[in-house]
Amino acid sequence: MNTPTILVVEDDLPVRNLIVTTLKTHDYKYLTAPRGADAILQAASHNPDVVFLDLGLPDMDGIDVIRQIRSWSNMPIIIISARSEDNDKIEALDAGADDYLTKPFSVEELLARLRVTLRRLSLMQSPSADSSVYLNGRLKIDYAAGCAYLGEEELKLTPIEFKLLTVLAKNTGKVLTHTYITQHIWGRSWDNDVASLRVYMATLRKKLEGPHDSPQYIQTHIGIGYRMLKVE
Ligand code: CA
């Protein structure tokens, strides 16, 4: 990938300056937009690689900016917002955002989220993206055969665990909400589906992560959902 261009949508000047300085220092290209309408225009005319989006904008809600951009583009959108309520994050993720960062944030965290997103982007653009075999660290999934392996060993997964693993793998690097996952597995999202999801997730993790203290593959976002990480 050439030098990635980041669109920074933020009306708060000190925060915008902090983000821009951070990007400049790390040799990223950037564009800025202080309002939602500018953001949509810039996204459409410059096709940035990643969007950093504040939700509280003077002219419109950031959620509507996500919806508008999503009507024509899959460009990754990372929410940077002071709204710390889980419901706001869930609404933004369900509207199509890829990740979120809560203000106040650290510059290191901002850069880490950006790297995760860019890795995911290069994964999607790699020639093997359409292939029927998924590789991530020691994990291998053969979608067509319906089998998953850890190293040489086949994981003994139930059909729901396999489906769950597939949904996460196909969205590696992206935070998926409970609603998103349950809808993809059961075609609906009721409260008891979310409870079942936790149970299936626990059994899947036991098989996938082994006895590790800190999970390598599946990251939990408490109250929000899960994310499959790219393992080096
Ligand atoms: Ca704001």
Side-chain angles (χ1 to χ4, degrees):
M1 192 188 285
N2 298 326
T3 310
T5 302
I6 321 298
L7 171 60
V8 181
V9 187
E10 174 64 75
D11 59 314
D12 186 344
L13 189 59
V15 178
R16 194 165 73 227
N17 285 344
L18 171 66
I19 298 173
V20 162
T21 307
T22 305
L23 293 175
K24 256 199 272 193
T25 314
H26 290 81
D27 295 324
Y28 291 107
K29 287 193 255 177
Y30 65 89
L31 301 157
T32 59
R35 295 152 52 89
D38 308 323
I40 292 163
L41 200 63
Q42 296 256 38
S45 48
H46 297 285
N47 196 29
D49 296 287
V50 178
V51 181
F52 283 160
L53 177 68
D54 177 27
L55 289 181
L57 296 167
D59 58 332
M60 59 197 284
D61 195 299
I63 304 278
D64 293 322
V65 176
I66 302 171
R67 291 205 178 100
Q68 291 220 26
I69 292 178
R70 278 292 167 271
S71 69
W72 85 85
S73 169
N74 282 322
M75 63 179 68
I77 301 175
I78 303 176
I79 300 304
I80 302 182
S81 171
R83 300 180 191 176
S84 57
E85 295 285 322
D86 286 348
N87 283 344
D88 293 320
K89 291 172 189 160
I90 291 168
E91 197 187 352
L93 292 166
D94 280 335
D98 294 74
D99 200 355
Y100 60 86
L101 206 55
T102 305
K103 291 176 187 168
F105 56 87
S106 77
V107 162
E108 283 70 29
E109 204 181 350
L110 177 83
L111 290 167
R113 297 303 169 93
L114 182 56
R115 282 193 298 270
V116 167
T117 302
L118 290 171
R119 263 206 298 273
R120 171 167 172 264
L121 208 57
S122 64
L123 212 66
M124 289 190 315
Q125 290 166 348
S126 72
S128 60
D130 293 331
S131 97
S132 62
V133 174
Y134 170 86
L135 291 170
N136 184 4
R138 294 181 65 233
L139 172 64
K140 180 174 133 186
I141 306 172
D142 186 333
Y143 292 126
C147 301
Y149 304 84
L150 204 55
E152 296 295 303
E153 204 175 325
E154 185 177 350
L155 293 169
K156 303 265 185 290
L157 303 179
T158 65
I160 287 193
E161 287 164 358
F162 183 77
K163 227 169 155 181
L164 186 51
L165 182 64
T166 304
V167 172
L168 289 163
K170 290 197 165 161
N171 293 282
T172 298
K174 185 167 170 162
V175 179
L176 303 180
T177 62
H178 295 136
T179 307
Y180 181 94
I181 299 170
T182 51
Q183 273 173 351
H184 277 74
I185 292 181
W186 291 289
R188 55 171 201 230
S189 185
W190 296 340
D191 284 350
N192 56 351
D193 292 332
V194 176
S196 312
L197 175 61
R198 288 210 178 86
V199 176
Y200 287 114
M201 192 60 87
T203 57
L204 170 61
R205 279 179 140 162
K206 217 162 158 184
K207 296 174 185 177
L208 178 64
E209 311 271 11
H212 293 290
D213 283 344
S214 53
Q216 245 193 314
Y217 290 100
I218 302 172
Q219 190 180 58
T220 303
H221 290 246
I222 295 165
I224 293 177
Y226 302 92
R227 156 163 49 201
M228 172 72 83
L229 296 168
K230 179 84 185 90
V231 176
E232 299 304 327

